[in-house]
Amino acid sequence: MRALWLLLSLAVISAPPCALASNQASVIKETSIKESAIKSVTSQYPWYQWQTVGQATLTWGLWDIYNSELKTPTGKYSGLDTDLALIIRYLRDIDKDDLLQATNEQWLHLGYSKQQITPWLTTLSAIWPNVKKGDRLIFVQRDGIGQFYQGTQPLGKPLSKSLTRSFIAIWLSPKTDYPELRKQLINQ
C-alpha cells in the first residue's frame, strides 16, 4: 500500500501541469455525470424500496392513533428538503374532517397564518378520504414536491412546494408539537 501511494505521488509530481488540469476536468466532468445519473435513478427509484430512517407510534391518552414510518433513498434524514416518504398506518377510524381539524391545529402551532392555511386545507379536503383502521396514507416528497397516496393509488395532483413543506413540517420540524415522535422518525 505504501509503495502504491509513493508511486501515485511521483506520478502526480512528475506530470505536466496541463495533464493535471486535463485530468481534473475529466474527473469533475465524470463526477457530475455520475451525480446526475444517481439523481435520475433516485427520482425513478420507487419510494417503497427506500430505506427506513425511523418509526414511531402516535398515542393520545390511552389510544394508539397511528404507526408512522419515515423512509429516504439513503435511510438517513438530512432536513425538510430531503426526498422522503412518510407512511401512516391508522390504528382507528378517523373522519376526514377530524384529520383536517388536527392538521389545522398543527399548522397554527407551527406559526402558519390563517391566510396560508385556508387554501392548503381546501386542497387537502378535496383529496383526503375518511380513513379506516388499517388504512395507509403515504406522503412522498421528491425535489420539494409532495404527493399523497392511499396504498399505491395517488390522491389528487402533486402539491405546491409551500403545502408540501408545511405538511411534512407537522412531523419533522424542530417546532413540532410531538418532539419525541420526530426524534423516533429521524432516528435521533
Side-chain angles (χ1 to χ4, degrees):
M1 183 71 174
R2 192 169 189 205
L4 179 61
W5 174 248
L6 182 59
L7 182 62
L8 287 173
S9 298
L10 289 174
V12 169
I13 291 169
S14 63
C18 63
L20 285 177
S22 172
N23 286 343
Q24 287 173 340
S26 173
V27 168
I28 290 169
K29 183 177 180 182
E30 185 177 318
T31 300
S32 72
I33 290 171
K34 284 181 184 175
E35 287 172 358
S36 261
I38 288 169
K39 186 169 184 167
S40 173
V41 168
T42 300
S43 68
Q44 299 305 314
Y45 192 47
W47 66 265
Y48 52 83
Q49 293 180 353
W50 291 351
Q51 297 175 39
T52 298
V53 177
Q55 298 176 331
T57 299
L58 178 67
T59 301
W60 184 258
L62 301 174
W63 299 282
D64 288 341
I65 308 300
Y66 60 74
N67 292 326
S68 54
E69 178 181 10
L70 182 65
K71 292 181 166 228
T72 66
T74 63
K76 303 215 181 316
Y77 174 72
S78 58
L80 289 172
D81 296 322
T82 306
D83 284 358
L84 54 82
L86 178 67
I87 300 107
I88 300 175
R89 181 177 305 276
Y90 289 89
L91 303 174
R92 55 189 322 102
D93 296 353
I94 303 177
D95 184 78
K96 170 174 76 170
D97 290 335
D98 291 335
L99 288 174
L100 291 166
Q101 181 182 348
T103 302
N104 181 53
E105 290 169 6
Q106 292 306 309
W107 280 334
L108 289 171
H109 170 80
L110 290 170
Y112 293 104
S113 70
K114 288 197 181 281
Q115 292 79 15
Q116 292 171 299
I117 294 170
T118 300
W120 296 340
L121 290 174
T122 301
T123 299
L124 296 180
S125 179
I127 61 175
W128 276 357
N130 294 320
V131 294
K132 301 286 182 209
K133 181 178 181 178
D135 282 353
R136 271 187 349 162
L137 285 183
I138 299 109
F139 180 74
V140 178
Q141 173 179 286
R142 290 178 193 253
D143 298 322
I145 303 293
Q147 174 74 56
F148 284 101
Y149 295 85
Q150 186 170 23
T152 59
Q153 297 300 313
L155 296 174
K157 297 178 182 177
L159 306 177
S160 68
K161 286 189 175 195
S162 63
L163 177 49
T164 296
R165 187 170 180 86
S166 66
F167 182 77
I168 203 63
I170 292 171
W171 286 268
L172 302 180
S173 168
K175 298 179 190 175
T176 183
D177 207 15
Y178 301 102
E180 289 306 313
L181 187 102
R182 175 185 183 266
K183 284 181 185 177
Q184 292 172 24
L185 284 172
I186 65 174
N187 199 15
Q188 280 190 345

